[in-house]
Amino acid sequence: MKSKHFITKAEYPGGSAALKKFIKNNLLYPKEALMHRVEGSVSLRYEVNEKGKVHNISVINGLGYGCDQEAERLIRLLKYSQVKNRGIKVNTRFKIAVHFKLPPEALPI
């Protein structure tokens, strides 16, 4: 049976589990956010072109204290696989939430 979807969308290699792991392993908690004990999520929207390059990143809901910039930095690091769409150049839009949770050593005793 042939797929009904003619346009192939960009996908992160390894799927969403690999994407979450990448973010968890590469997230650097901003010093200012640690000092102010800021926790929460930064929602971002971004696009991936047919070559797998991330562009057009925008923060939808930010936290401030350096978290927005850190979330943007992480998204810029993402590498998607190339998409072949019979010569058609397709941008795939994504929405993602980057979660900032204070590390256990930063919590009061």
Side-chain angles (χ1 to χ4, degrees):
M1 192 171 132
K2 276 182 103 174
S3 170
K4 286 186 179 131
H5 301 286
F6 299 109
I7 303 296
T8 311
K9 293 184 173 188
E11 258 181 43
Y12 191 76
S16 60
L19 179 60
K20 284 178 183 149
K21 188 177 177 194
F22 174 85
I23 288 173
K24 186 178 170 225
N25 293 342
N26 291 283
L27 184 110
L28 301 171
Y29 219 97
K31 281 189 175 72
E32 196 180 353
L34 279 173
M35 282 171 24
H36 291 90
R37 315 199 61 69
V38 174
E39 280 190 327
S41 299
V42 176
S43 298
L44 301 120
R45 185 182 293 133
Y46 63 98
E47 292 182 19
V48 177
N49 68 15
E50 73 283 353
K51 291 189 171 78
K53 296 269 184 257
V54 174
H55 64 100
N56 214 1
I57 303 167
S58 59
V59 175
I60 305 166
N61 289 327
L63 280 175
Y65 299 101
C67 294
D68 305 357
Q69 290 84 353
E70 174 57 16
E72 252 185 77
R73 183 191 72 83
L74 279 173
I75 300 306
R76 271 199 183 76
L77 293 176
L78 296 178
K79 301 250 186 294
Y80 281 77
S81 46
Q82 286 192 339
V83 182
K84 301 263 186 285
N85 275 319
R86 299 188 202 125
I88 302 167
K89 291 183 172 154
V90 177
N91 278 331
T92 309
R93 286 198 177 119
F94 290 95
K95 264 182 168 176
I96 192 168
V98 178
H99 305 289
F100 288 87
K101 186 145 175 49
L102 286 167
E105 64 270 13
L107 297 173
I109 300 162

